[in-house]
Amino acid sequence: MSGSGLMTTYRPMSITFERGDGVWLYDNEGNQYLDCISGIAVCGLGHCHPKVTQTLQEQAARLVHTSNLYRISHQEELGRRLAEITGMDACFFGNSGAEANECAIKIARLYGHNKGIEKPNIVVTDGSFHGRTLATLSATGNRKVQAGFEPLVQGFIRAPYNDLEAIRKIAENNPHVVAMLVEPVQGEGGIQIPDDQYLSGLRKICDENGWLLMLDEIQTGNGRTGSYFAYQQMGFIPDVVTTAKGLGNGLPIGACLATGEAALTLQPGNHGSTYGGNPLCCATALTVVDTIMSEQLPAKALALGQRIVDGFKDQLGGQSIVREIRGKGLLIGIELTKPCADLVGLAREQGLLINVTADKVVRLLPALVMSEDQADKMVASVSQLIKSWAAN
């Protein structure tokens, strides 16, 4: 049994943080760390943003929870605000990205049943990550996430990512498909960015076959990739989009937004959440959303992300250990030629918090409020770290 009193679901590093300030974290021994992953894309406004902290304190002193038995003004205001920004019609609030994707999966299945399809299927992709609940891990395209939890939830058809022809073949041979669930960029899968025409091609296939196009923007949303949602750079609107992470800047809130027929699918009694959309989380998320938009942080993320990618290409482009440097806004990956999990510990010793995903990809998800000087420091420090590691 763990001496911590906790289930052994995590392998936490031997470090405890006491406070945060913007892109900086401070441990209980007073050491300072440059947070290059912002709580895995959660703290997009940095740690302890003054506006978020003020809203949180004021709302906590006024009202935290009532349940969804009653109207919640902040929930309705947040729903309207998100709809205004994204072009969607309606929103359901839960507590996490997994819950948001659960809601999307339920919309797809009910949408199919409403059309008379007895066993509706959803197309998902290899390399994806949609969460760790039973339905979302079944949708996930990573065997490591699924192993040991069989039997998985049925009704998912898997296809290679970034392969339109594979989706066309599924459409030709599977009349029970009702939807496609896909990430605009695969984050956990190693910052995999599809071809420019991939997502618009999916939109076309979905339209031709009466499928719902459902985008998982848990990691790409809330300004991280250069627009509020990544799809807004692609000239189309999905039927369903899910988000979480940066929406609450640290508070647990997820959202499933839908438009058209998908927005009308769930009726009273079909779905719910005890805590989801409570006054505390929604008031805070409203401040987060308004700050992202009023300070034009999506545009900043796009420009700063390009500066960072260019900086890494300058400093690491000639290194044989580096296979590829890629990014979309402030979602950045450096793919190496060999497994590099030990870089995380080496970075921490130098006051850097980074992440490794897909075994060989250094994943960087800095806060949208990171300055150019801080970004340059991150590029120089991470580049030197990789060079030193590769030389040993």
Side-chain angles (χ1 to χ4, degrees), residues 175-210:
H176 301 304
V177 172
V178 297
M180 172 139 199
L181 175 62
V182 63
E183 297 162 281
V185 176
Q186 288 188 339
E188 189 74 18
I191 318 298
Q192 301 297 332
I193 303 171
D195 297 338
D196 289 344
Q197 302 306 312
Y198 178 61
L199 292 165
S200 59
L202 292 181
R203 174 74 276 177
K204 186 172 185 292
I205 294 171
C206 288
D207 288 344
E208 290 171 349
N209 292 278

Side-chain angles (χ1 to χ4, degrees), residues 292-320:
I292 289 172
M293 299 308 291
S294 66
E295 297 185 6
Q296 301 179 0
L297 294 181
K300 181 187 173 188
L302 191 64
L304 192 62
Q306 190 61 57
R307 181 186 181 98
I308 291 169
V309 168
D310 289 345
F312 278 127
K313 287 181 177 177
D314 285 344
Q315 299 205 27
L316 291 172
Q319 300 292 313
S320 60

Side-chain angles (χ1 to χ4, degrees), residues 57-109:
Q57 290 174 334
E58 291 177 356
Q59 187 60 43
R62 186 179 300 125
L63 184 65
V64 172
H65 178 80
T66 60
S67 88
N68 287 294
L69 291 173
Y70 314 100
R71 294 182 67 171
I72 299 171
S73 60
H74 287 111
Q75 184 185 112
E76 294 178 6
E77 189 177 354
L78 179 60
R80 284 193 295 269
R81 186 76 174 110
L82 287 172
E84 172 188 297
I85 292 170
T86 64
M88 307 302 279
D89 292 330
C91 185
F92 173 85
F93 291 109
N95 305 291
S96 66
E99 279 191 56
N101 283 335
E102 286 273 351
C103 181
I105 291 166
K106 288 182 70 174
I107 286 174
R109 287 194 167 195

Side-chain angles (χ1 to χ4, degrees), residues 82 91-93 96-98 100-101 215-222 228-229 241-247 253-257:
L82 287 172
C91 185
F92 173 85
F93 291 109
S96 66
N101 283 335
L215 297 186
D216 176 343
E217 296 230 25
I218 308 298
Q219 194 159 136
T220 52
N222 304 296
Y228 195 84
F229 284 125
V241 61
T242 58
T243 186
K245 289 191 179 291
L247 180 58
I253 181 169
C256 177
L257 294 94

